[in-house]
Amino acid sequence: MENAGRLIEENKTSIGIELGSTRIKAVLIDESGNSLAFGSHKWENELKDGIWTYSLEDAVSGLQDAFASLKKDVFEKYSVTLTSAGSLGISGMMHGYLVFDENENQLVGFRTWRNVMTAEAAEKLSALFGFNIPQRWSIAHLYQTMLSGEPHVKSIRSMHTLASYVHYRLTGRRVIGVGEASGMFPIDAETGSYNEEMLSKFDSLASDMPWNIRELLPEVLTAGEFAGYLTEEGALLLDPTGEFKPGVKLCPPEGDAGTGMVATNSVRQRTGNISAGTSIFLMVVLEKSLSKNYPEIDIVTTPSGSDVAMVHCNNCSGEIDAWAGLFADMCGKLGLDVSIYKVLDKMFELALSGDSDCGGLVGYNYISGEVITGLETGKPMFFRDPSSSFTPENFARLQLSSAAATLSIGKEILDGENVKIDKLFGHGGYFKAPLAGQTVMAAALNAPISVAETAGEGGPWGQAVLASYMINKKDGQSLEDYLDDVIFSSQKFTCVEPNESDVEGYKRFLENYKKGLAAQKAVN
């Protein structure tokens, strides 16, 4: 404890802050990646006029609350006031649409990754580029506003992701990490920046606009590059008390996909990770390009610029949380003081005792739409056959199995492409409970799933590591080597191998799941 306090006072620490879908989290680490303190703030997206959004006012106030929570944890643990750090990094949920005019006024509400409203634009851009452009990518949102003739589009002078916007407010620099940038516009792996040929093709579509696409997008930086200093205005934005001082070095802002790769040490070729929280996605670092473009597969990059195949699903733990909340409320009405967290723990525990095929129960966790299964909107659904085994264990198993189902369907494409995966790591809230998430996911993907001690910390810890890499790497040391040699050299992992009976049971569940998709589509 004394040593940690001294490291904090000597600024031999790094801070990672991630604006996730349900929480804004802050983590303080030492030079070896050990977590020293935490802070968090809970927030939720809103559905306004059919659009999933967060207000930027809530983003700023949530950022401040998470940082205040971090400072409080530091003081309570070490009797030290957090006034500076060696480095700092901002990350956030990827993609979406966040645009500003020449006076930096926000033109329309933030349209998040969750919106499935740009099908026409995504289809046309994919055909023009010969490259899959998912609906949630920033460029798809921009082009859709052009196709729809939205009046604000000619006033745009800058476009951000949430992470790059917060970074800009803290530093005054319009920059973005390459992994995060790859969710705005396609990246050329050779140059490490936006694909020039595709930029020119898009400019031909925007010839009547008073801007070109190069002017709107933030500058791309690679992991390890310097991305600006915390300004006086930025320091007060982060910590209105004035205790945290300006001058801290910031690394490039990254997306939650990139921080997940770092948090699981899966940035080398033939490694992959599963990030499972509000959304769920599988990322595999490719040895070679896929044989063709797939609308279900995104091609993004690692924070160091390598191509990654990404299977992204909009829905994961939201329905699990909803059922847990219902059960907790019922306990309350019965006069029992049971928190939702205790209910969640029990659900994950019971799932391990459930039948591998969930006893014939079928459920869909679609709070929002899913491209992989062709659904524009979400309709959570549960049904069973009268002969199904309707037990608490099977219902709990169903919730975890349903959360992995769409990802399992998407992975079938990578299997068909014979994509090799030597190691697959899991992180996020789905894997926080011991063994349950790993066991179900191993069956769903028919692959061993490893989880590190930091699995529950996920993105903010990964961003703190990227910030530490920027100031602590040796000359010429790659991110891959830094992770192996410094951060994960003593990290402990637990690995769950797929059990043959679990795999066969999950196949039966998935067969029922696919049959029931017709009902989902009928009510959409």
Side-chain angles (χ1 to χ4, degrees):
M1 299 288 284
E2 181 180 345
N3 182 57
R6 186 171 64 254
L7 292 175
I8 294 168
E9 290 180 322
E10 294 175 355
N11 298 331
K12 294 181 178 180
T13 57
S14 296
I15 299 171
I17 303 175
E18 183 159 285
L19 293 94
S21 301
T22 59
R23 289 188 180 276
I24 301 173
K25 297 180 181 179
V27 177
L28 180 73
I29 66 170
D30 65 17
E31 294 171 330
S32 298
N34 299 306
S35 298
L36 303 178
F38 306 88
S40 70
H41 168 83
K42 187 176 182 179
W43 71 336
E44 290 287 349
N45 54 191
E46 301 175 271
L47 188 62
K48 286 188 175 181
D49 301 321
I51 295 174
W52 291 105
T53 188
Y54 300 82
S55 75
L56 292 186
E57 291 78 11
D58 286 348
V60 170
S61 63
L63 176 76
Q64 293 171 344
D65 188 52
F67 191 76
S69 176
L70 177 69
K71 286 178 59 185
K72 181 180 178 183
D73 194 39
V74 168
F75 189 80
E76 289 179 348
K77 286 179 176 175
Y78 312 110
S79 299
V80 172
T81 299
L82 185 63
T83 61
S84 189
S87 58
L88 191 154
I90 299 294
S91 59
M93 61 191 91
M94 292 178 69
H95 319 297
Y97 186 67
L98 195 50
V99 291
F100 302 85
D101 66 14
E102 61 183 0
N103 296 315
E104 299 182 2
N105 297 308
Q106 187 180 5
L107 292 170
V108 291
F110 175 34
R111 299 172 185 178
T112 76
W113 57 272
R114 184 170 239 174
N115 292 288
V116 185
M117 56 190 291
T118 63
E120 181 185 7
E123 182 178 355
K124 289 183 175 181
L125 288 176
S126 296
L128 177 67
F129 294 163
F131 184 95
N132 179 43
I133 302 296
Q135 289 198 48
R136 64 187 179 280
W137 280 27
S138 305
I139 195 62
H141 280 281
L142 175 61
Y143 190 42
Q144 190 65 54
T145 65
M146 295 164 58
L147 293 173
S148 302
E150 294 192 37
H152 76 271
V153 70
K154 290 192 175 183
S155 299
I156 300 173
R157 292 298 179 270
S158 63
M159 182 162 63
H160 282 282
T161 64
L162 186 57
S164 72
Y165 170 74
V166 173
H167 181 94
Y168 173 69
R169 293 288 303 273
L170 296 180
T171 67
R173 290 194 62 185
R174 289 189 62 241
V175 298
I176 190 170
V178 64
E180 174 82 328
S182 69
M184 295 190 81
F185 195 94
I187 296 292
D188 183 339
E190 295 296 321
T191 66
S193 190
Y194 305 113
N195 186 293
E196 281 292 331
E197 180 181 353
M198 296 180 194
L199 288 171
S200 296
K201 286 182 177 180
F202 190 86
D203 274 337
S204 68
L205 300 176
S207 58
D208 60 339
M209 294 293 161
W211 45 259
N212 68 64
I213 187 60
R214 292 172 178 82
E215 296 171 341
L216 303 189
L217 294 168
E219 177 189 356
V220 180
L221 299 177
T222 302
E225 291 191 80
F226 170 70
Y229 290 103
L230 183 66
T231 63
E232 290 187 10
E233 295 83 1
L236 286 173
L237 180 76
L238 185 63
D239 181 16
T241 70
E243 291 179 337
F244 197 76
K245 304 303 180 184
V248 178
K249 294 179 179 179
L250 271 79
C251 68
E254 264 299 345
D256 50 2
T259 59
M261 284 186 271
V262 172
T264 53
N265 194 20
S266 50
V267 295
R268 289 191 187 277
Q269 292 181 356
R270 295 176 62 132
T271 62
N273 80 91
I274 304 157
S275 176
T278 304
S279 64
I280 185 171
F281 48 84
L282 166 68
M283 306 189 70
V284 181
V285 186
L286 297 173
E287 291 181 284
K288 59 181 180 179
S289 300
L290 302 181
S291 64
K292 61 178 182 178
N293 294 319
Y294 296 91
E296 303 90 346
I297 306 293
D298 306 358
I299 302 298
V300 292
T301 78
T302 68
S304 51
S306 298
D307 281 344
V308 175
M310 180 181 188
V311 181
H312 185 282
C313 310
N314 288 344
N315 302 279
C316 181
S317 64
E319 186 68 351
I320 300 174
D321 292 343
W323 281 107
L326 179 69
F327 297 148
D329 285 347
M330 179 59 74
C331 289
K333 294 182 186 303
L334 292 171
L336 303 173
D337 184 13
V338 180
S339 72
I340 187 174
Y341 302 107
K342 191 170 183 178
V343 173
L344 283 167
D345 287 344
K346 179 56 68 173
M347 286 178 68
F348 276 72
E349 177 189 330
L350 290 175
L352 286 169
S353 302
D355 297 332
S356 59
D357 63 355
C358 305
L361 307 182
V362 181
Y364 300 89
N365 64 334
Y366 295 153
I367 294 174
S368 59
E370 280 291 0
V371 172
I372 289 176
T373 47
L375 299 170
E376 292 186 2
T377 59
K379 296 289 192 301
M381 183 183 292
F382 165 68
F383 59 87
R384 61 190 175 93
D385 189 274
S387 62
S388 299
S389 178
F390 191 21
T391 66
E393 291 81 3
N394 283 338
F395 189 79
R397 181 86 172 208
L398 165 67
Q399 297 308 316
L400 271 65
S401 297
S402 174
T406 311
L407 189 73
S408 178
I409 293 171
K411 183 178 178 285
E412 292 172 356
I413 296 171
L414 298 183
D415 293 338
E417 283 275 351
N418 199 30
V419 171
K420 302 296 184 184
I421 309 174
D422 293 334
K423 297 178 181 179
L424 197 54
F425 300 91
H427 73 106
Y430 183 91
F431 296 107
K432 198 167 186 178
L435 297 181
Q438 282 179 271
T439 299
V440 174
M441 191 64 68
L445 302 184
N446 193 16
I449 308 294
S450 295
V451 172
E453 291 175 325
T454 53
E457 298 168 24
W461 183 82
Q463 186 63 21
V465 169
L466 286 172
S468 182
Y469 171 64
M470 178 186 68
I471 61 171
N472 293 317
K473 67 182 184 298
K474 298 176 182 177
D475 289 343
Q477 187 177 29
S478 68
L479 177 61
E480 292 86 346
D481 288 343
Y482 180 79
L483 294 177
D484 282 343
D485 299 340
V486 178
I487 302 299
F488 288 94
S489 59
S490 60
Q491 183 69 257
K492 295 179 180 179
F493 290 86
T494 59
C495 181
V496 171
E497 297 281 346
N499 177 284
E500 184 176 349
S501 63
D502 282 349
V503 171
E504 291 304 314
Y506 196 90
K507 287 180 180 178
R508 293 193 298 273
F509 161 76
L510 196 62
E511 183 179 346
N512 290 332
Y513 186 94
K514 290 179 178 179
K515 289 177 181 178
L517 284 171
Q520 267 287 317
K521 293 176 181 178
V523 297
N524 254 269

